[in-house]
Amino acid sequence: MQDLQDYCKPFSKADAIWPALPLPPDAIELWWRRWLLATAKDNQWQALRAELPQLLVTPQPLARLSDRYQRLVLRGESPQPKDLEVAPRLRDPKGFSITIANHPCGAKPVLSVSDHDDFVLIMRCLAHRCEPIPVQGTVHAQAVAGLIHWGLIRELDVKDRCQILILHRAPYSSLSASSIPGSPSLDQWIKQSQIWRLEHELAHIACRKLVGEMRINLFDELLADAIGMKTALGHFQAELFRQGLGLNLDGTIQDDARAHLYVQQLDPNDHVAACQMVLARANELEQMLNTKQLPSDSIKLLKSLTRSTLDQALKSNVKTPNTSRLSNKKPC
C-alpha cells in the first residue's frame, strides 16, 4: 500500500535523455509485419492461436496449472484435436481484427474486437493467464506485455516476449456521444474512441520506454488521456477527462468508475486527495494547452508532462523573457 507521497513521486527516469525518435523497427515488429502479410484476414484468429496458445485455454480458476495450459502455453506443444474442440470461441468472429499501430517508440500489434464478451475473453487469456478475473464494464483497452509467444520464440529467441494491445470497439470509457463536443454520431464517436483508446495505450508504452515506467495511477492516466483525447478530438477538455474517470466534482469516486483501478494501491484515506490533485492538474493542462504554454505535438507534450508530478502545478514550456539587461537602463 502506497502513501500519498510515494504515489506522487516522479517517473524513475524523468530526467533521462530521450533517444532520437522515431526508433528503428526491431525484430519483433518485423516479425509481426511478416505474419500479417502472410496471414489471410479471415484466418487471423485461428493463426494467432497457434502463436499465442493461451487463446486455446478456457479461462477458469487455476487454469495455468492445468495439463492443457502446461502443454500448449509453457511447452509449446502442438494442440491435439480435443484441444481445438474445447477451445473458447469468439461470439463475433467478424468483429475481430489484427493491425499494426505505428508510433515513434515502436509499432505494436493491436487486437480489436466488437463484442465485449470477446474482449473479456482475450483479456483473461492473455493478461490474466486464463484466470476468470472480473473486467469492469468501463474498461475497453489493455496493453499486455511479457506474453509467451511461440512464433517469436521459435524464430527469434527464447527470451523474446510479446507485447500487444487489446481494444474493444465501444465509446471511450462508456461516455455517451451526446457528452462529446461537436455531438458526433454514434459511429463517429466509436471511431474517435478507438483513436483515443489506441493513442492512450501507446502513450503508456512510450512512458515505459522513455521514462522507465508504465504505472497504474491517476497522473499516468492524465498523461495518456491528454495524448489520446487530443489526437482523437483535436483538443483536451478537463471536464471530459473527469467524466471519463468517473470522478465527482469534489474528487470523490463514483461506484462504477475507472478511477478505482488507479488508486487501488493507494491508502484509502488519500483517495479523495489524489483525485482532487488530478482534477487540478487536468484544469491546468487544458488552460496551458489553450494558451500554448505547452506543446501541441504529442511526443513533445509527453516529454513535458513526464517531468511534472501529480502533487505539483504543471510546468510550462514557455520561457519568460530575460529582462535583466533592461534593469539598469535609465528612464528617458
Side-chain angles (χ1 to χ4, degrees):
M1 190 68 66
Q2 292 177 300
D3 60 25
L4 191 58
Q5 182 178 0
D6 188 44
Y7 187 81
C8 295
K9 67 183 180 182
F11 284 98
S12 62
K13 297 181 180 178
D15 296 322
I17 298 174
W18 286 19
L21 299 175
L23 298 176
D26 60 16
I28 294 177
E29 176 185 334
L30 295 175
W31 185 96
W32 276 106
R33 293 192 184 279
R34 291 194 302 271
W35 186 88
L36 276 175
L37 285 173
T39 306
K41 188 174 181 180
D42 60 1
N43 192 46
Q44 286 181 343
W45 172 250
Q46 302 300 334
L48 183 67
R49 297 193 301 175
E51 316 296 355
L52 290 169
Q54 298 91 328
L55 298 169
L56 291 169
V57 180
T58 300
Q60 57 185 312
L62 301 179
R64 67 186 185 279
L65 302 180
S66 67
D67 172 72
R68 181 170 291 116
Y69 190 95
Q70 300 280 321
R71 286 188 294 104
L72 302 179
V73 179
L74 299 186
R75 297 198 294 271
E77 296 179 10
S78 298
Q80 302 300 313
K82 181 65 174 179
D83 296 322
L84 298 175
E85 181 183 335
V86 301
R89 289 174 169 77
L90 295 176
R91 288 172 59 94
D92 181 12
K94 292 183 179 179
F96 173 84
S97 66
I98 308 177
T99 55
I100 297 289
N102 294 316
H103 191 271
C105 289
K108 300 297 176 187
V110 181
L111 308 186
S112 298
V113 294
S114 296
D115 188 277
H116 190 261
D117 286 347
D118 291 340
F119 172 74
V120 172
L121 169 66
I122 294 173
M123 278 272 290
R124 288 171 172 170
C125 288
L126 298 185
H128 301 293
R129 294 193 294 176
C130 301
E131 294 286 332
I133 302 298
V135 178
Q136 277 187 297
T138 53
V139 174
H140 302 280
Q142 180 74 48
V144 185
L147 288 169
I148 295 173
H149 183 296
W150 283 97
L152 297 178
I153 291 171
R154 293 185 179 105
E155 294 187 32
L156 300 179
D157 191 304
V158 72
K159 296 178 182 178
D160 283 319
R161 294 294 181 100
C162 175
Q163 185 173 52
I164 205 162
L165 302 181
I166 310 167
L167 305 183
H168 173 224
R169 297 184 189 92
Y172 189 83
S173 199
S174 299
L175 293 168
S176 66
S178 61
S179 67
I180 307 305
S183 300
S185 68
L186 179 58
D187 285 346
Q188 290 173 324
W189 171 222
I190 289 178
K191 289 178 182 178
Q192 290 173 321
S193 293
Q194 283 299 91
I195 296 171
W196 183 343
R197 193 169 283 128
L198 175 60
E199 294 299 325
H200 176 112
E201 296 301 330
L202 290 172
H204 281 311
I205 293 172
C207 284
R208 172 176 284 177
K209 176 78 71 173
L210 299 170
V211 291
E213 294 181 277
M214 184 169 68
R215 308 175 303 187
I216 302 177
N217 72 24
L218 290 169
F219 191 66
D220 289 48
E221 282 304 289
L222 175 60
L223 270 61
D225 260 356
I227 304 301
M229 193 190 305
K230 278 187 79 283
T231 306
L233 305 182
H235 64 277
F236 175 80
Q237 187 182 87
E239 173 60 14
L240 202 56
F241 170 74
R242 180 188 70 79
Q243 293 177 27
L245 271 185
L247 298 180
N248 296 313
L249 290 170
D250 62 357
T252 53
I253 306 177
Q254 297 165 14
D255 290 343
D256 59 348
R258 278 172 52 216
H260 287 291
L261 175 64
Y262 310 120
V263 295
Q264 62 183 356
Q265 299 301 321
L266 177 64
D267 187 321
N269 294 323
D270 292 323
H271 284 189
V272 173
C275 292
Q276 290 172 341
M277 288 177 185
V278 82
L279 293 179
R281 301 294 84 79
N283 285 319
E284 292 166 3
L285 177 57
E286 179 180 350
Q287 180 183 18
M288 294 171 76
L289 284 169
N290 289 342
T291 56
K292 302 188 186 305
Q293 296 180 68
L294 287 171
S296 59
D297 175 80
S298 292
I299 287 293
K300 291 179 180 178
L301 176 60
L302 186 66
K303 188 171 187 177
S304 179
L305 293 177
T306 54
R307 282 151 172 74
S308 295
T309 58
L310 179 64
D311 58 345
Q312 299 291 325
L314 296 182
K315 301 172 184 177
S316 171
N317 258 27
V318 177
K319 297 180 180 179
T320 56
N322 184 355
T323 59
S324 59
R325 290 182 298 172
L326 304 178
S327 59
N328 295 324
K329 186 176 180 180
K330 295 180 180 179
C332 297

